[in-house]
Amino acid sequence: MLDVLTDADYELFRKVIYDESGITFSATNRSILDSRIKEMLRKKNLNTPQEYYELISKDPEEMKIMLDAVTTNLTRFFRNQPHFDSFVNYVIPHVIENKKTSSDHTIKIWSAGCSTGEEPYTIAMIMKEICPPDFNFHITASDISLKSIMTAQQGFYPEARVDGVPENYLSKYFTKVDGGYQIKDEIKKTIHFDYHNLKNDSGARNLDVVFCRNVLIYFDEPAQLAVINHFYDAMGPKSYLYIGHSESLFGMKTNFEFIKTEWACFYGKGVSK
């Protein structure tokens, strides 16, 4: 049984993962890559890392499965509450005000790196509460992990996973079932879940709000800038970007504006008066 990847094997997988996704593995998280590759060898009944490398090189679907296996999917409902406080009290009111004079009354939101769905479902529940009757909203949620997307689409969460959901939201937007809670269809239908590699342009345009939190930390600086530029292209003329509270665009050459509110800090495109 393989103990750890050799330096040559590690470099081979580190490079292909970076080339395919922009995700960076360094010496500090090498052990994660070691364990994930070992697990994939076991599942595929292969003997050497070289055999597995040949497999993913020849089969694009196997490459997706490998990228899924090496990514970390950690999330929860209402994660970083100050972000959602600023979303309710600042961002959405400004988006609505900017759209009042146009014929487009659909608020378009992207949850990039949505993992198992807690973030987009949180956004959807909030929007159900605050969206004016003459407006509607649509959320696109994407991830590089097909397994996570499938979990998100099902919308079922064990009881421990809904910890942190306010009681009024839990009773209104979830159905209690054996073993946990099921998101109601009225929330599920507001979200389109899709596979997307952030290294590529999504093709989306005129988005009003983009959430990409705790994802950029897995990229090096060139890959971060490429992702941020894709977001800028996808966003509308007056729009807003949320990244993780430990992430920053400081020192990065972008056209985004830093916005500090009493609730949280985030970024804007074309929103300066």
Side-chain angles (χ1 to χ4, degrees), residues 84-99:
F84 293 114
D85 291 340
S86 67
F87 179 74
V88 170
N89 294 295
Y90 185 98
V91 168
I92 292 303
H94 279 75
V95 169
I96 290 170
E97 187 62 33
N98 292 331
K99 283 178 171 284

Side-chain angles (χ1 to χ4, degrees), residues 30-42:
R30 174 172 174 167
S31 61
I32 297 173
L33 183 57
D34 277 348
S35 63
R36 303 286 166 84
I37 296 300
K38 283 168 60 179
E39 178 66 13
M40 292 308 295
L41 287 175
R42 186 189 66 77

Side-chain angles (χ1 to χ4, degrees), residues 201-245:
D201 185 347
S202 68
R205 294 297 182 267
N206 292 316
L207 297 169
D208 297 298
V209 188
V210 172
F211 284 81
C212 184
R213 303 186 301 166
N214 308 300
V215 176
L216 294 178
I217 54 174
Y218 297 105
F219 300 134
D220 65 3
E221 288 186 16
Q224 287 178 353
L225 183 59
V227 170
I228 291 300
N229 286 338
H230 285 321
F231 288 151
Y232 195 86
D233 292 340
M235 293 166 62
K238 290 183 180 292
S239 49
Y240 300 88
L241 169 68
Y242 284 96
I243 60 177
H245 70 278

